[in-house]
């Protein structure tokens, strides 16, 4: 079974801090994704990556950056955390190509105070 | 504008009945559509995929239909059980060769009462 592991289940940070969320997958998937999930808004794509060192902006990239130095690891960075970035963050991976199922981690619930 | 919409209200049904969830979309021409299940505090889990040239797909008690004319997918759970209670998400590819990217609906919460 594919396993996508997110480094923290719960995280509390202060406004203005630089925050790192880590995601690791163990199935050699080419694609990796970062979403945030908010009540009533569903899953919204922040960034995705289809290869090492490659990244594409999703629908809501403002205030975020990403890093993919190794195939199995995809990091989400909040450059200067703000309270409106309090959310559930979900990482996913999939094989290359269309019609591939995405495999999700269990999420990091991030609170910015 | 492009939209994907699911029943916004929670669906409450009695055990043993068939649950039907709706996913409507506008201004997309997806080649395929996927359904996921999400339990509280967990990430979504893939259930089924249906392609644009398939009218219907089945997997055990699950059935998905895809009507590209109506721009709608229906997700059915037959003989529902309390363990089927969860949020169900539909997702479609946005077309134009975006290599695995999906657009998700906001999900429908299903509650099956014993």
């Amino acid at each position: 079974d594919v396993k996508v592991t997110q480094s923290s289940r719960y995280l509390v940070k202060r406004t203005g801090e630089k925050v790192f969320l880590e995601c690791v997958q163990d199935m050699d998937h080419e694609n990796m994704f970062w979403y945030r999930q908010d009540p009533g808004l569903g899953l919204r794509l922040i960034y995705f990556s289809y290869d090492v060192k490659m990244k594409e902006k999703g629908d809501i990239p403002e205030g975020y950056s990403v890093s993919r130095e190794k195939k199995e690891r995809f990091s989400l960075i909040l450059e200067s955390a703000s309270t409106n970035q309090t959310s559930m963050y979900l990482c996913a991976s999939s094989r290359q190509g269309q019609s591939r199922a995405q495999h999700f981690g269990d999420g990091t619930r991030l609170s910015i105070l | 504008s492009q939209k994907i919409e699911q029943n916004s209200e929670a669906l409450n049904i009695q055990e043993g009945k068939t649950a039907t969830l709706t996913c409507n979309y506008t201004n997309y021409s997806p080649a395929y559509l996927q359904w996921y299940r999400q339990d509280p505090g967990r990430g979504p889990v893939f259930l089924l995929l249906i392609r644009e040239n398939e009218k219907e797909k089945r997997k055990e008690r699950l059935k998905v239909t895809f009507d590209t004319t109506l721009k709608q997918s229906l997700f059915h759970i037959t003989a529902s059980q309390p363990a089927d209670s969860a949020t169900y998400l539909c997702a479609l590819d946005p077309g134009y060769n975006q290599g695995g990217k999906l657009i998700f609906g906001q999900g429908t919460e299903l509650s099956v009462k014993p």
Side-chain angles (χ1 to χ4, degrees):
Chain A
D1 272 358
V2 176
K3 191 158 178 66
V4 178
T5 303
Q6 295 185 230
S7 53
S8 307
R9 290 300 304 274
Y10 301 94
L11 206 54
V12 180
K13 295 291 182 181
R14 297 253 175 228
T15 303
E17 279 193 71
K18 191 168 187 176
V19 181
F20 293 86
L21 303 183
E22 306 285 347
C23 175
V24 177
Q25 50 96 1
D26 66 357
M27 281 302 291
D28 203 36
H29 283 173
E30 291 81 10
N31 298 334
M32 295 190 76
F33 307 84
W34 274 108
Y35 297 89
R36 63 178 283 177
Q37 186 173 34
D38 301 287
L41 296 176
L43 279 166
R44 293 181 292 166
L45 182 65
I46 305 171
Y47 268 97
F48 67 102
S49 168
Y50 51 88
D51 203 351
V52 175
K53 297 192 186 295
M54 305 302 288
K55 61 185 180 185
E56 295 280 343
K57 291 180 180 179
D59 300 315
I60 52 164
E62 296 77 20
Y64 303 94
S65 63
V66 290
S67 172
R68 194 164 180 204
E69 296 296 318
K70 293 185 178 182
K71 191 174 186 180
E72 68 271 18
R73 187 180 295 270
F74 193 34
S75 303
L76 180 70
I77 303 149
L78 285 66
E79 297 291 344
S80 177
S82 64
T83 54
N84 63 11
Q85 292 178 308
T86 291
S87 186
M88 170 69 90
Y89 289 87
L90 287 158
C91 174
S93 72
S94 72
R95 290 175 59 188
Q96 193 173 48
Q98 290 191 302
S99 78
R100 302 295 188 180
Q102 292 190 8
H103 301 266
F104 285 82
D106 279 336
T108 295
R109 187 163 290 284
L110 176 64
S111 296
I112 307 296
L113 304 179
Chain B
S1 64
Q2 296 173 317
K3 281 197 300 186
I4 176 169
E5 290 185 339
Q6 299 184 243
N7 315 61
S8 55
E9 294 182 12
L11 185 62
N12 297 301
I13 64 167
Q14 206 66 34
E15 183 176 8
K17 301 292 186 184
T18 295
T20 298
L21 285 66
T22 305
C23 178
N24 295 299
Y25 59 92
T26 55
N27 295 329
Y28 286 111
S29 297
Y32 59 92
L33 193 143
Q34 301 182 9
W35 283 88
Y36 290 76
R37 169 185 172 138
Q38 186 174 22
D39 292 287
R42 307 299 299 272
V45 175
F46 171 77
L47 295 174
L48 278 170
L49 177 148
I50 185 165
R51 299 179 192 280
E52 61 178 339
N53 60 352
E54 298 175 313
K55 297 295 184 196
E56 183 180 296
K57 198 85 167 274
R58 291 175 185 262
K59 180 182 176 183
E60 297 172 354
R61 295 184 295 111
L62 308 180
K63 184 178 87 171
V64 173
T65 62
F66 192 9
D67 189 325
T68 55
T69 301
L70 291 178
K71 294 187 180 293
Q72 181 182 78
S73 176
L74 298 179
F75 178 83
H76 306 272
I77 305 175
T78 58
S80 59
Q81 304 166 0
D84 295 325
S85 298
T87 296
Y88 292 86
L89 305 166
C90 67
L92 54 78
D93 77 292
Y96 39 92
N97 194 26
Q98 292 217 7
K101 180 180 172 182
L102 293 173
I103 307 297
F104 283 84
Q106 76 274 29
T108 297
E109 186 178 348
L110 172 67
S111 179
V112 181
K113 304 294 184 188

